[in-house]
Amino acid sequence: MAKTILIPTDFTVESLNLVKTALENNADHSEKLRLILVYGQWASSSITELLFYSKRKVLETLENEEFKCSCEMLLSKYEAIIEHMSIDIFSGNNQNAFENYLEGNKVTEAYIPRNYKFKLKNSNSFNLIPFFTKSKTNLFKVNWHTVSVENAESSKNELSSLFFTHGQVAH
C-alpha cells in the first residue's frame, strides 16, 4: 500500500521544494508514494458559477509552464518511488472539513514550510497552513533556503534552483 503525503502549493517552482524534501526523506523506504499538492481556494457562492464549475479549468488558470515543467522533472527523477502525483483544490471552510479531506484521501503525513510564505493567486485564495498545523496528521516542518543567482535568465534559474535547494526537516 502506498503512503499518501499532502503538500500545500502556490504553483511556484519554489514551493516544490516541499515535494523534493518529502521525496528525499522517503527515498530509502520500500513503499511507493502518493503525492497530493493542494491549494486553498474558496468555492464561489454564485449558483451559475457553481453549475459550470470545472476543477480542471481552475487548475489550468493557476498553473504556469515553469511549474508544470518542474513537476514533470520531479516525476521523472523520482519515478521509482512515486506511484501517483495529483494537484487538488481544498475549498472547505473549517478544520473539520480539512480533517475529512485528510481522511478521505488517506493522508499519512504532510509537509509545510517553516520559512516560506505562500503567494496567493487571487482574492478567492486562502492560506492552508493554519489547517495543516491544527491537523492530527504526522506533520513535518521544512526549512529551506535557495541559492540566489543574479542574471538575466531568472526563469531558467528558478526552474534549476529546484534541484539546487537545500531542505532541512524539523518535527
Side-chain angles (χ1 to χ4, degrees):
M1 188 169 125
K3 179 193 287 189
T4 302
I5 300 174
L6 186 66
I7 301 170
T9 188
D10 61 1
F11 300 99
T12 62
V13 173
E14 191 174 17
S15 71
L16 292 174
N17 282 302
L18 291 170
V19 175
K20 182 181 171 199
T21 301
L23 290 168
E24 288 173 351
N25 287 347
N26 288 282
D28 297 337
H29 300 99
S30 60
E31 64 186 334
K32 293 276 193 171
L33 303 175
R34 286 183 58 237
L35 302 172
I36 303 172
L37 304 181
V38 65
Y39 184 73
Q41 183 164 307
W42 304 116
S44 174
S45 59
S46 163
I47 292 173
T48 306
E49 287 182 29
L50 289 172
L51 283 172
F52 297 103
Y53 177 80
S54 166
K55 185 178 7 177
R56 182 181 52 78
K57 288 181 183 177
V58 171
L59 289 172
E60 284 175 3
T61 63
L62 294 169
E63 293 175 336
N64 60 46
E65 229 16 75
E66 290 83 15
F67 180 81
K68 290 176 187 177
C69 186
S70 297
C71 287
E72 289 172 12
M73 289 173 74
L74 284 169
L75 284 167
S76 175
K77 182 175 181 180
Y78 295 98
E79 68 183 335
I81 61 172
I82 297 175
E83 180 178 287
H84 181 72
M85 185 164 106
S86 62
I87 302 170
D88 200 6
I89 295 174
F90 175 74
S91 58
N93 58 0
N94 59 37
Q95 191 64 37
N96 285 338
F98 190 72
E99 295 296 333
N100 287 335
Y101 182 86
L102 294 173
E103 185 179 332
N105 285 291
K106 296 179 175 74
V107 173
T108 53
E109 62 187 48
Y111 285 75
I112 61 170
R114 188 180 293 271
N115 59 342
Y116 176 77
K117 185 167 171 60
F118 285 103
K119 298 162 186 71
L120 302 180
K121 295 282 191 178
N122 56 51
S123 61
N124 290 333
S125 303
F126 61 92
N127 186 1
L128 284 170
I129 299 303
F131 290 113
F132 277 87
T133 56
K134 293 176 187 171
S135 74
K136 299 170 188 159
T137 193
N138 190 16
L139 185 64
F140 294 89
K141 295 181 180 179
V142 178
N143 292 317
W144 81 73
H145 63 280
T146 55
V147 177
S148 97
V149 180
E150 296 180 23
N151 67 21
E153 298 180 358
S154 62
S155 66
K156 187 183 277 186
N157 289 330
E158 183 181 355
L159 183 62
S160 63
S161 74
L162 179 62
F163 297 98
F164 297 105
T165 302
H166 309 287
Q168 299 172 351
V169 177
H171 294 295

